[in-house]
């Protein structure tokens, strides 16, 4: 019998197929019957036998429907006798809502963590695997013996950066000071200068860039951010680096969400030469444009199970 059996939510079947392609015959493909009813309810049936098996469940909490589907599938596997379950969440939604700023704001990063912490226990435990969280402290929101693991995509970012410049010198930059420490750590690993922008808030929706921390005159700049949603912060930062004299500007991000027309907004500026992101969010796969390159996190996930995973 295969060591593990893997299931995925509807939006993450593509990543399950990639994992199976590089893990066979060690992992078995988990079969599901999923149907949508006219009234908006959803039918799920687990067809594969999971009793006394180690289950890997793959799905991002990209919206509320996907979150509940992931929770329902995890509950079903546990009820059917799975001996252990590891839930791999490539993109953890609401990760920017990790604390309240105004009275009454709901910390949804915490409520989502508490939701998955309410799953029934298995004989060998439950583990949650997350990739490049917006804030590392989110892992502390999980309760009831659920063991969260935060995987960092540093190697993917470093490899992409070196390929973009083909060994030429560059400056690794961030979109704001909030990501400065992470970018500085990456820059130190790559032995290149780091840069970030200083911002001043003008209103609840608008900020102005007041300074840049490093000299980018006549230099190639690679901007890293953990996620791109609408592209607004990225565009402002890229414009600032360009105005400061940067030559080519590239972008690397882990989570390419590109909400609405986010990608087109970025492309229309004409400032950014190329974007590299991973496949942690399915939106990135729907964009067919030579300006965007999507790299898979499949090997990073598999390496975790091969070298670090013990339940």
């Amino acid at each position: 019998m295969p060591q593990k059996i893997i299931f995925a939510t509807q939006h993450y079947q593509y990543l399950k197929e990639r994992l199976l392609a590089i893990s066979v015959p060690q992992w078995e493909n988990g079969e599901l019957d999923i149907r949508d009813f006219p009234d908006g309810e959803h039918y799920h049936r687990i067809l594969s036998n999971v009793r006394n098996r180690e289950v890997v469940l793959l799905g991002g909490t990209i919206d509320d429907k996907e979150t509940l589907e992931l929770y329902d599938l995890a509950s079903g596997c546990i009820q059917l006798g799975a001996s252990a379950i590891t839930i791999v969440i490539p993109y953890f939604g609401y990760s920017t809502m990790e604390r309240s700023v105004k009275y009454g704001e709901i910390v949804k990063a915490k409520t989502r963590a508490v939701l998955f912490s309410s799953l029934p226990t298995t004989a060998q435990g439950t583990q949650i695997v997350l990739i490049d969280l917006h804030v590392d402290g989110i892992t502390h929101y999980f309760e009831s013996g659920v063991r969260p693991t935060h995987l960092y995509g540093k190697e993917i970012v470093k490899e992409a950066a070196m390929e973009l410049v083909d060994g030429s010198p560059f400056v690794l930059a961030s979109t704001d000071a909030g990501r400065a420490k992470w970018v500085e750590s990456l820059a130190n690993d790559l032995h290149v200068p780091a840069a970030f922008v200083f911002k001043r808030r003008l209103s609840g929706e608008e900020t102005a860039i007041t300074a840049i921390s490093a000299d980018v005159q006549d230099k190639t700049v690679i901007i890293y951010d953990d996620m791109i949603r609408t592209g607004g912060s990225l565009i402002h930062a890229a414009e600032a680096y360009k105005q400061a004299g940067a030559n080519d500007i590239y972008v690397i991000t882990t989570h390419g969400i590109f909400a609405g027309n986010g990608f087109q907004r970025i492309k229309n500026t004409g400032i950014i030469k190329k974007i590299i992101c991973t496949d942690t969010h399915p939106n990135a796969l729907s964009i067919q444009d030579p300006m965007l390159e999507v790299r898979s996190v499949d090997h990073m996930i598999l390496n975790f199970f091969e070298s670090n995973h013990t339940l």
Side-chain angles (χ1 to χ4, degrees):
M1 291 288 287
Q3 184 182 3
K4 298 176 181 68
I5 182 167
I6 182 170
F7 297 90
T9 57
Q10 293 177 77
H11 282 102
Y12 279 82
Q13 292 294 319
Y14 69 91
L15 192 48
K16 183 186 78 166
E17 292 170 3
R18 289 174 179 172
L19 282 166
L20 284 169
I22 60 175
S23 66
V24 170
Q26 288 80 16
W27 292 19
E28 178 185 328
N29 181 28
E31 299 287 347
L32 299 170
D33 180 11
I34 302 175
R35 283 175 274 161
D36 296 332
F37 295 119
D39 62 0
E41 293 186 348
H42 313 285
Y43 172 89
H44 290 82
R45 181 187 175 196
I46 298 167
L47 300 176
S48 303
N49 180 19
V50 299
R51 181 165 296 279
N52 298 322
R53 303 285 303 280
E54 181 180 339
V55 171
V56 177
L57 178 56
L58 179 64
T61 57
I62 57 175
D63 56 36
D64 294 341
K65 176 186 174 183
E66 180 83 5
T67 300
L68 287 176
E69 181 179 9
L70 187 61
Y71 182 84
D72 287 338
L73 290 174
S75 297
C77 288
I78 294 169
Q79 291 165 9
L80 289 172
S83 61
I85 187 165
T86 299
I87 304 173
V88 181
I89 306 178
Y91 175 74
F92 189 74
Y94 292 111
S95 62
T96 59
M97 297 185 186
E98 88 288 355
R99 60 189 175 94
S100 61
V101 177
K102 299 176 182 178
Y103 174 79
E105 287 182 336
I106 297 172
V107 183
K108 290 198 173 184
K110 184 173 184 177
T111 62
R112 295 304 184 270
V114 171
L115 174 67
F116 285 101
S117 300
S118 71
L119 287 166
T121 57
T122 65
Q124 297 179 52
T126 299
Q127 185 158 236
I128 305 280
V129 177
L130 308 133
I131 296 177
D132 279 353
L133 287 170
H134 187 67
V135 177
D136 185 66
I138 290 172
T139 57
H140 299 293
Y141 289 151
F142 291 90
E143 305 171 346
S144 305
V146 171
R147 298 192 295 280
T149 298
H150 186 185
L151 299 184
Y152 297 92
K154 264 192 173 185
E155 293 306 315
I156 294 176
V157 176
K158 287 158 59 176
E159 182 179 305
M162 297 308 294
E163 289 181 12
L164 281 172
V165 298
D166 194 23
S168 301
F170 66 96
V171 176
L172 189 67
S174 66
T175 55
D176 55 50
R179 299 297 291 174
K181 287 186 177 179
W182 207 88
V183 168
E184 184 179 30
S185 174
L186 268 172
N188 288 336
D189 290 345
L190 291 164
H191 307 291
V192 299
F196 59 92
V197 294
F198 295 93
K199 292 181 179 179
R200 179 168 59 88
R201 183 160 293 282
L202 302 177
S203 66
E205 294 78 30
E206 188 178 1
T207 59
I209 293 172
T210 58
I212 294 174
S213 69
D215 178 23
V216 298
Q217 181 72 43
D218 300 323
K219 296 178 181 177
T220 297
V221 171
I222 298 178
I223 301 174
Y224 171 78
D225 205 355
D226 62 307
M227 67 174 76
I228 299 174
R229 293 195 286 191
T230 62
S233 295
L234 173 63
I235 291 170
H236 289 152
E239 288 173 342
Y241 290 123
K242 197 68 176 178
Q243 289 169 8
N247 286 335
D248 292 336
I249 297 178
Y250 300 92
V251 173
I252 302 173
T253 186
T254 302
H255 309 298
I257 304 164
F258 303 116
N261 64 340
F263 178 80
Q264 197 60 45
R265 283 184 64 201
I266 296 167
K267 183 174 181 177
N268 288 346
T269 66
I271 298 174
I272 294 167
K273 195 169 184 179
K274 186 172 184 177
I275 301 173
I276 295 178
C277 72
T278 73
D279 60 354
T280 56
H281 197 291
N283 280 1
L285 301 177
S286 66
I287 299 171
Q288 303 298 317
D289 192 292
M291 182 180 165
L292 178 68
E293 179 182 340
V294 182
R295 302 192 176 191
S296 186
V297 294
D298 51 4
H299 281 89
M300 184 170 72
I301 294 171
L302 187 61
N303 289 341
F304 163 75
F305 283 98
E306 290 180 343
S307 60
N308 302 299
H309 182 54
T310 53
L311 282 172

